[in-house]
Amino acid sequence: MDKLFVQRLNALHYVYPKPLNRLSKLMADDEELEKLSRRSVLELAFLLNVKEQQAHDLKKAYTEALDIPFESLYRKYKITPISFLHPHYPKSLLELIDPPAILYAKGRTELLLVPQKIAVIGSRKASSYSRKAMDTILPVLTQHEFLIVSGLAKGADAMAHEIAINSGGETIAVAGSGFLHPYPKENMALNIIIEEKFLSITEYPPYMQPKRWNFPMRNRIISGLSCGVLVTEAQVKSGTLSTIEHALDHGKDVFAVPGDIFSGLSEGPHKLISEGAKPVWNGDQILDEYRQLRAEK
């Protein structure tokens, strides 16, 4: 990629960290963003569908950001920006309505190219039942070179990453904040291990703090990276099930662990099973599903 284009895209995303679909009109007649600094405020407001004042502020901030040495800045923090044109950018994310324009990565970016990825999700209040279920299911998957994707949140996410690592597998964490503001603090040690030995990614520039609305957006990336999604414990109304909605919208396989009928955390998986998700209680069931799919192809 042209270095000037990379600098312009980094500058734009730094001041306007929006998905690729929000930039499509802007880039329709200007794929290299060469015209951006010369566009009028009115034109910018129209193309980005924002108010004039916001367009004015954005143009000013963008012009100033063009002077930021992003390459050396990100290298200092061991961050690799992966734009939608980068060879390590997962093609499956381009199937989303709103693909990330840039993924910021820390760790082994080649893990994004692993074809067999399973997302593992569940409640932040997951009980020991989730850990027992994952201890039974995930080692079988990692032994067959499935990579485990999750969101680095408390509860089920942290369990999924830990069990993937402890079973000798690979894992990708999808964060809901910029790398200068790791979240949650409780998972700091796990976060460091993933950044150093595996891969952590986020669509948010380093300065972005964790905001409540970041996490539903984060969920579409977890689903988009994966060929299937495994749900352990989750309430019916939860962010976990919003990830499943993204998965179903894009034809992903959905697996759910049956649970205690007296537990509110079993209601989410049981609802999914009643709607067609495949109930699973060991890793071989998931492996068999993919063996069957490969055989049909």
Side-chain angles (χ1 to χ4, degrees), residues 40-58:
S40 69
V41 168
L42 281 174
E43 187 179 15
L44 201 56
F46 171 73
L47 292 173
L48 294 177
N49 193 28
V50 297
K51 295 180 179 179
E52 285 184 41
Q53 184 61 51
Q54 187 179 351
H56 173 273
D57 295 343
L58 176 59

Side-chain angles (χ1 to χ4, degrees), residues 1-21:
M1 283 184 291
D2 178 71
K3 282 194 171 184
L4 289 176
F5 166 67
V6 171
Q7 177 67 9
R8 290 191 287 263
L9 182 60
N10 281 336
L12 175 59
H13 199 259
Y14 192 79
V15 301
Y16 191 67
K18 301 295 183 182
L20 191 57
N21 64 313

Side-chain angles (χ1 to χ4, degrees), residues 264-275:
L265 290 175
S266 298
E267 291 177 1
H270 290 168
K271 180 175 187 292
L272 292 173
I273 291 168
S274 72
E275 293 173 349

